[in-house]
């Protein structure tokens, strides 16, 4: 089992490995075998990943004499719904599960969150393993045990903390990932540098382009560093009572943008986070928390890699600051309807700020929106 690096998410008797390297799906049988209570797994994947990576995983389980059965959900955010969850749970129960059964999530964030939540609630909790196949899920959603679905009120509002038994991040699958998906995942890597590791952000400024263009070493190093930060934060604050909130840098703005765009292809989660991080740094600068040059530097790096940094690519919509603020009030971090943001004192030094005045947020949003609709600039709040 060589050719990979291992990190441990230290949570006592629920600790688990995050293994990162090339070709791990093809060796998944040897990696999973020692963890299984019975030599049988149920794989959950989606229609896109099924065609790309499922055969390799099935061969790996066959080679390790692990019985397997596969359940396929439609690709896309729509599968993170009550309806999909209900039919997946019914199908898994009908296939015959008991408390020794292990589920395997093969796919991106949608499959990982859905399968993980099913594992959390079936028979009051069974084991699951994450095999993330997108950059975003390798560096963020597969690690840390957040599972759940979306509701009509917002994203990830129903769910559970349920840690996987193992995460296998096979970096070779990234070669089949569309460029846009790769960039969306890259935004979450940048987030790690911005929130707590300025030297990592410096490194990304020098190596981000290489990583996006396919340099395997740069990819592996960035994934390792992002997962190492996440593992450390999750071990210290599994249930997001303090430090883990920092992992939501860019997400208060980002989730509001996604909610307005309808969680579809118009705006991917990582793209929303990229815009959200720029807005969070700009808000920090506006409030005098950090220097304006820091916000410029964040924007420049993301723009240099062709990630969105504002409303420019979303100009076919009529954006209204108040509608975005309404979404923010429903954010999981909001307390009694008051807006909470992860802001920054500098690159690599994020902090949670509870009492941000709505007028400050409205001012920033109105200003940014007016840049794409110059005729509406009278809406800017002074
Ligand atoms: N994606 C943020 C977290 O896992 O806490």
């Amino acid at each position: 089992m060589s050719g990979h690096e291992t990190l441990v998410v230290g949570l006592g008797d629920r600790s688990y490995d995050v293994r990162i390297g090339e070709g791990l799906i093809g060796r998944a049988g040897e990696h999973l075998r020692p963890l299984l209570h019975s030599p049988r797994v149920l794989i959950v994947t989606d229609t896109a990943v099924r065609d790309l990576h499922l055969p390799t995983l099935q061969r790996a389980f066959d080679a390790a004499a692990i019985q397997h059965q596969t359940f396929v959900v439609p690709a896309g955010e729509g599968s993170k719904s009550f309806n999909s969850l209900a039919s997946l749970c019914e199908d898994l129960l009908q296939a015959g599960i008991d408390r020794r059964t292990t589920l395997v999530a093969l796919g991106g964030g949608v499959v990982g969150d859905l399968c993980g939540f099913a594992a959390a609630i079936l028979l009051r909790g069974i084991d699951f393993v994450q095999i993330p196949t997108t950059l975003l899920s390798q560096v963020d959603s597969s690690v840390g045990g957040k599972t759940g679905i979306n509701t009509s009120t917002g994203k990830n509002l129903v769910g559970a903390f349920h840690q996987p038994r193992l995460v296998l991040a096979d970096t070779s699958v990234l070669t089949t990932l569309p460029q846009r998906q790769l960039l969306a995942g890259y935004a979450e890597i940048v987030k790690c540098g911005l929130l707590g590791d300025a030297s990592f952000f410096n490194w990304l400024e020098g190596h981000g382009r290489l990583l996006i263009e396919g340099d395997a070493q740069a990819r592996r190093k960035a994934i390792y560093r992002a997962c190492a930060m996440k593992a450390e934060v999750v071990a210290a604050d599994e249930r997001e009572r303090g430090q883990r909130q920092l992992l939501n840098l860019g997400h208060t703005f980002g989730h509001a943008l996604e909610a307005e765009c309808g969680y579809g292809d118009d705006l991917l989660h990582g793209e929303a986070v990229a815009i959200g991080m720029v807005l969070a740094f700009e808000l920090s600068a506006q409030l005098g928390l950090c220097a304006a040059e820091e916000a410029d530097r964040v924007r420049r790096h993301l723009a240099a890699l062709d990630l969105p940094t504002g409303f420019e690519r979303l100009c076919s919509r009529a954006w209204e600051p108040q509608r975005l603020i309404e979404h923010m009030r429903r954010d999981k971090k909001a307390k009694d309807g008051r807006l909470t943001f992860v802001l920054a004192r500098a690159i690599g030094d994020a902090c949670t700020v509870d009492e941000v005045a709505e007028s400050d947020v409205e001012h920033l949003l109105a200003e940014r929106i007016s840049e794409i609709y110059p005729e509406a600039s009278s809406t800017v709040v002074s």
Side-chain angles (χ1 to χ4, degrees):
M1 283 199 269
S2 59
H4 67 271
E5 291 164 282
T6 300
L7 286 158
V8 178
V9 182
L11 290 167
D13 60 3
R14 291 175 301 116
S15 296
Y16 56 96
D17 282 3
V18 178
R19 299 182 191 152
I20 302 159
E22 297 208 343
L24 285 172
I25 295 181
R27 301 195 298 276
E30 5 167 347
H31 285 274
L32 263 76
R33 199 71 161 87
L35 302 174
L36 300 179
H37 303 294
S38 72
R40 175 171 177 254
V41 294
L42 302 180
I43 305 166
V44 178
T45 191
D46 71 23
T47 43
V49 176
R50 170 188 59 195
D51 302 335
L52 291 169
H53 308 300
L54 181 63
T56 311
L57 183 62
Q58 289 175 327
R59 278 195 299 276
F61 287 151
D62 288 340
I66 297 171
Q67 288 175 41
H68 52 86
Q69 199 173 336
T70 301
F71 301 80
V72 183
V73 300
E77 195 75 26
S79 284
K80 271 179 63 171
S81 66
F82 274 116
N83 284 346
S84 300
L85 176 72
S87 51
L88 178 63
C89 287
E90 293 287 1
D91 290 349
L92 292 167
L93 287 165
Q94 270 170 24
I97 57 171
D98 61 37
R99 286 213 166 122
R100 296 165 314 150
T101 307
T102 297
L103 304 187
V104 176
L106 174 72
V110 169
V111 165
D113 287 6
L114 176 69
C115 175
F117 190 33
I121 57 178
L122 280 165
L123 311 183
R124 300 210 173 88
I126 59 174
D127 285 354
F128 84 115
V129 168
Q130 290 269 23
I131 306 188
T133 57
T134 61
L135 183 57
L136 189 134
S137 56
Q138 292 189 350
V139 297
D140 188 49
S141 58
S142 70
V143 180
K146 279 190 181 174
T147 72
I149 56 170
N150 304 327
T151 73
S152 55
T153 312
K155 226 175 124 105
N156 299 330
L157 292 182
V158 173
F161 286 100
H162 186 57
Q163 301 294 340
R165 294 288 319 278
L166 173 69
V167 179
L168 286 184
D170 182 341
T171 52
S172 46
V173 302
L174 301 176
T175 52
T176 57
L177 198 64
Q179 173 86 352
R180 193 172 165 212
Q181 295 277 351
L182 198 67
L183 282 168
Y186 181 76
E188 295 276 5
I189 294 179
V190 171
K191 182 190 79 178
C192 292
L194 293 179
L195 74 90
D197 189 346
S199 71
F200 183 37
F201 183 75
N202 293 346
W203 183 86
L204 290 170
E205 285 181 311
H207 295 80
R209 167 73 47 205
L210 277 177
L211 184 163
I212 296 299
E213 285 172 354
D215 185 294
Q217 227 184 329
R219 281 183 180 178
R220 192 158 153 165
K221 179 166 177 177
I223 293 168
Y224 184 89
R225 282 186 79 163
C227 287
M229 168 171 287
K230 183 133 194 203
E232 194 185 312
V233 171
V234 169
D237 176 24
E238 181 185 8
R239 299 223 154 213
E240 200 171 305
R241 302 219 158 90
Q243 194 186 349
R244 186 165 182 173
Q245 289 177 14
L246 301 182
L247 293 173
N248 293 317
L249 176 64
H251 284 61
T252 305
F253 284 113
H255 279 165
L257 294 168
E258 279 184 282
E260 274 298 282
C261 290
Y263 307 113
D265 268 357
D266 284 4
L267 186 67
L268 303 179
H269 175 65
E271 294 170 339
V273 169
I275 301 171
M277 291 190 298
V278 173
L279 291 171
F281 268 81
E282 288 178 342
L283 184 58
S284 307
Q286 182 185 300
L287 297 176
L289 204 61
C290 86
E293 297 77 54
E294 296 284 89
D296 288 343
R297 200 172 146 204
V298 175
R299 180 193 281 273
R300 270 201 310 279
H301 178 57
L302 295 170
L305 291 178
D306 210 25
L307 271 158
T309 58
F311 291 85
E312 296 76 12
R313 295 189 205 168
L314 306 168
C315 56
S316 59
R317 281 169 199 278
W319 291 97
E320 283 173 33
Q322 267 310 325
R323 283 179 61 98
L324 290 167
I325 289 171
E326 273 309 310
H327 290 297
M328 291 175 198
R329 280 205 203 98
R330 290 197 284 264
D331 191 272
K332 286 191 290 312
K333 292 185 296 308
K335 296 185 184 103
D336 305 325
R338 281 178 285 118
L339 304 183
T340 300
F341 285 87
V342 180
L343 298 180
R345 292 179 277 256
I347 285 172
D349 185 11
C351 53
T352 307
V353 179
D354 269 348
E355 303 260 355
V356 177
E358 240 180 72
S359 55
D360 285 320
V361 181
E362 186 170 3
H363 178 88
L364 175 68
L365 289 171
E367 211 170 68
R368 292 292 161 266
I369 290 168
S370 71
E371 287 164 6
I372 57 163
Y373 310 122
E375 70 281 3
S377 55
S378 57
T379 62
V380 175
V381 180
S382 58

